[in-house]
Amino acid sequence: MPTETTTGTTVPVQFRDDVTVDLVKHSASDGDVLWAARVSTAGEQSLEELTKDPERSKGLINFLMRDRHGSPFEHNSMTFFISAPIFVFREFMRHRVGWSYNEESGRYRELQPVFYVPGPERKLVQQGRPGKYEFVHGTAEQHEAVRGAMEESYAHSYAAYQEMLAAGVAREVARATLPVGLFSSMYATCNARSLMHFLGLRTQHELAATPSFPQREIEMVGERMEAAWESLMPLTHAAFNANGRVAP
């Protein structure tokens, strides 16, 4: 489904059912938790943890997690580049403590026609009362209705956006016609403690002590971030799971 941009080039309207998360920069390891914790009792000798194998002190990491001594988990950093629908970012930015964000701007660039349409595995139907509901798979007819309605709406709104831009309307005004299903991109920087808090609220997990009911699309982002974090700080991740996935 092609559309002509204000530069005269024709680009296809794209429909996606995925999200992408790339770890672009990090300074994070299990050892960071240990030297931060040991300074309490060892002072300058805590610097020795920089050269030691953190595996020998995994019991300390578990203790800190279990008893919720949280500050040692803040001395690290991870920066992710995330591509997802705008409605995911609006939920994401509810997480403020320990997070920094920079998102692409519809004021300063012409937004591209890439839109979210749920895939066939996405559960569509909510049933039950508030506070005790579940999502179940929709019928083939419901999935087709969702796909058709979204694609038609997206194409119409993007055409209106292009018409306004072609008429000389400012990008910051014309963007108001675009829906929250439009894809955006951002850098998000956090530490392990702030990421654990995010994961505790935005993912469902059998080991979680407290149930969470995230929207599936933000959970998809959380799952990809968690996989990257686990590779950097496996002992901390294991302790997080072992203690109910509650941020310390």
Side-chain angles (χ1 to χ4, degrees):
M1 189 179 298
T3 184
E4 186 171 306
T5 69
T6 55
T7 61
T9 58
T10 299
V11 296
V13 177
Q14 300 178 46
F15 304 112
R16 293 176 53 183
D17 62 5
D18 65 333
V19 299
T20 57
V21 176
D22 295 300
L23 179 67
V24 298
K25 182 180 178 182
H26 68 86
S27 175
S29 70
D30 290 314
D32 298 332
V33 180
L34 297 173
W35 53 253
R38 293 196 186 281
V39 73
S40 298
T41 56
E44 67 279 0
Q45 293 179 358
S46 61
L47 291 170
E48 296 174 5
E49 295 295 335
L50 294 172
T51 59
K52 291 182 179 178
D53 180 2
E55 180 73 27
R56 56 184 283 280
S57 297
K58 63 182 179 181
L60 174 57
I61 292 176
N62 189 72
F63 161 76
L64 295 169
M65 190 78 69
R66 184 195 69 204
D67 286 14
R68 306 191 72 180
H69 296 292
S71 58
F73 296 100
E74 297 176 3
H75 295 272
N76 55 82
S77 177
M78 294 163 279
T79 297
F80 299 91
F81 183 74
I82 303 168
S83 179
I86 288 174
F87 67 81
V88 169
F89 289 171
R90 296 305 162 263
E91 283 198 332
F92 208 121
M93 291 173 185
R94 298 295 298 168
H95 298 268
R96 298 182 294 275
V97 178
W99 287 91
S100 298
Y101 303 107
N102 281 95
E103 184 183 354
E104 69 176 279
S105 173
R107 297 184 68 193
Y108 302 121
R109 69 172 305 213
E110 184 174 327
L111 299 172
Q112 300 302 298
V114 183
F115 299 95
Y116 177 76
V117 176
E121 74 288 344
R122 208 309 186 179
K123 296 178 180 179
L124 291 183
V125 180
Q126 179 180 325
Q127 61 184 24
R129 59 183 175 82
K132 197 175 183 180
Y133 60 82
E134 63 177 350
F135 282 87
V136 298
H137 288 285
T139 65
E141 292 75 17
Q142 286 172 321
H143 276 277
E144 182 60 25
V146 168
R147 184 192 63 79
M150 285 188 172
E151 290 185 4
E152 180 180 0
S153 176
Y154 290 152
H156 181 75
S157 66
Y158 197 78
Y161 173 67
Q162 286 296 317
E163 289 173 5
M164 283 188 279
L165 294 181
V169 175
R171 288 184 292 265
E172 66 181 51
V173 177
R175 65 177 174 169
T177 193
L178 296 172
V180 294
L182 182 78
F183 267 73
S184 185
S185 60
M186 73 171 178
Y187 290 102
T189 299
C190 64
N191 58 56
R193 190 183 192 184
S194 53
L195 180 58
M196 284 187 278
H197 184 260
F198 175 88
L199 295 174
L201 292 173
R202 301 299 184 176
T203 61
Q204 289 184 313
H205 199 283
E206 60 184 3
L207 296 178
T210 303
S212 182
F213 305 95
Q215 183 162 342
R216 177 55 189 154
E217 288 75 16
I218 196 170
E219 184 178 36
M220 290 160 59
V221 172
E223 289 169 348
R224 288 157 176 77
M225 296 176 75
E226 182 169 1
W229 170 54
E230 180 183 5
S231 70
L232 298 175
M233 304 178 72
L235 301 180
T236 303
H237 180 262
F240 176 58
N241 278 336
N243 290 278
R245 293 177 64 87
V246 176

